[in-house]
Amino acid sequence: SQQGEEDPQALSIQEGENATMNCSYKTSINNLQWYRQNSGRGLVHLILIRSNEREKHSGRLRVTLDTSKKSSSLLITASRAADTASYFCATFYSGGSNYKLTFGKGTLLTVNP
Amino acid sequence: NAGVTQTPKFQVLKTGQSMTLQCAQDMNHEYMSWYRQDPGMGLRLIHYSVGAGITDQGEVPNGYNVSRSTTEDFPLRLLSAAPSQTSVYFCASSYLPFGNTIYFGEGSWLTVV
């Protein structure tokens, strides 16, 4: 079964507002990654946070990770219409020769001009 | 660099037909993988490879075969297509270990009638 679960499934905000998406997962991870997917396109890597990190920033993106709660959040500040996309969290686990990156079902973000 | 290239972009198959989705990357990545994306299901891992000659199953491997004879190529074979395999397929690649960006192809839309 899929590892990550995003919440909410859909989010609609006005341009300039902040958008927060959450991801929960079930088992131990090495790192957690966030991706964006524009309609009809492939996924684009946004940010990676390792299991020993608690917060990371990249431009208007802020990601937090709480391994005790097995959850992560992605904050997009001062959103723009161009941020409209689906956002996915993905958890990575490696053990022995086993490498798996598994995705959640995504949050559809709509930013209205 | 072309990145991750998938072909074909669109394909319609009849039930029972076989076909191969091609994936090539020019970044000398060790890790390559195939995902399928269905509405409301996010991305599910089909098969992955951590290097030439090494493949392993993901979450939904049934009905699909893969091989990794070279570092660059990771084809996905549908042996006997079924309507349940109608989906969008994404190939992805990365350096190992997973502290690096994962690159996705633009997707292959497959319809099985």
Side-chain angles (χ1 to χ4, degrees), chain A residues 3 12 39 49-50 73 86:
Chain A
Q3 168 76 303
S12 181
S39 181
I49 186 165
R50 293 181 171 80
S73 67
S86 291

Side-chain angles (χ1 to χ4, degrees), chain A residues 27-111:
Chain A
T27 62
S28 296
I29 61 172
N30 296 87
N31 63 60
L32 186 145
Q33 304 172 35
W34 285 91
Y35 289 80
R36 184 186 73 232
Q37 184 182 34
N38 291 92
S39 181
R41 304 297 299 274
L43 279 76
V44 174
H45 182 266
L46 294 176
I47 196 165
L48 179 151
I49 186 165
R50 293 181 171 80
S51 60
N52 62 352
E53 297 176 314
R54 292 297 167 258
E55 187 171 315
K56 208 162 183 180
H57 297 255
S58 177
R60 293 184 296 112
L61 305 180
R62 173 177 168 258
V63 169
T64 62
L65 179 65
D66 187 336
T67 53
S68 65
K69 295 181 179 178
K70 292 186 169 57
S71 67
S72 174
S73 67
L74 171 67
L75 169 67
I76 304 174
T77 60
S79 63
R80 306 166 182 168
D83 294 328
T84 294
S86 291
Y87 291 82
F88 295 87
C89 71
T91 54
F92 172 64
Y93 170 77
S94 69
S97 61
N98 193 13
Y99 298 86
K100 287 188 179 175
L101 182 71
T102 56
F103 287 80
K105 297 179 181 180
T107 293
L108 176 60
L109 173 66
T110 303
V111 181

Side-chain angles (χ1 to χ4, degrees), chain B residues 2-109:
Chain B
V4 180
T5 303
Q6 287 182 236
T7 57
K9 181 85 170 177
F10 300 97
Q11 182 72 48
V12 179
L13 281 179
K14 294 182 179 179
T15 297
Q17 285 186 319
S18 63
M19 79 155 298
T20 300
L21 298 177
Q22 302 290 346
C23 177
Q25 51 89 12
D26 59 359
M27 296 171 281
N28 204 32
H29 287 165
E30 303 98 331
Y31 180 87
M32 297 185 74
S33 57
W34 278 101
Y35 292 85
R36 59 177 289 173
Q37 185 176 30
D38 302 294
M41 296 294 292
L43 280 83
R44 291 182 291 171
L45 181 64
I46 304 172
H47 285 286
Y48 67 98
S49 168
V50 297
I54 306 169
T55 63
D56 204 348
Q57 296 182 349
E59 185 183 355
V60 288
N62 293 339
Y64 306 95
N65 275 2
V66 291
S67 60
R68 185 92 179 271
S69 56
T70 66
T71 299
E72 294 78 18
D73 300 299
F74 191 46
L76 178 71
R77 297 182 186 86
L78 284 71
L79 302 177
S80 178
S84 61
Q85 293 178 304
T86 293
S87 188
V88 184
Y89 292 85
F90 289 97
C91 179
S93 74
S94 171
Y95 289 115
L96 287 174
F98 267 112
N100 300 284
T101 299
I102 297 176
Y103 296 85
F104 280 82
E106 287 295 301
S108 297
W109 273 253

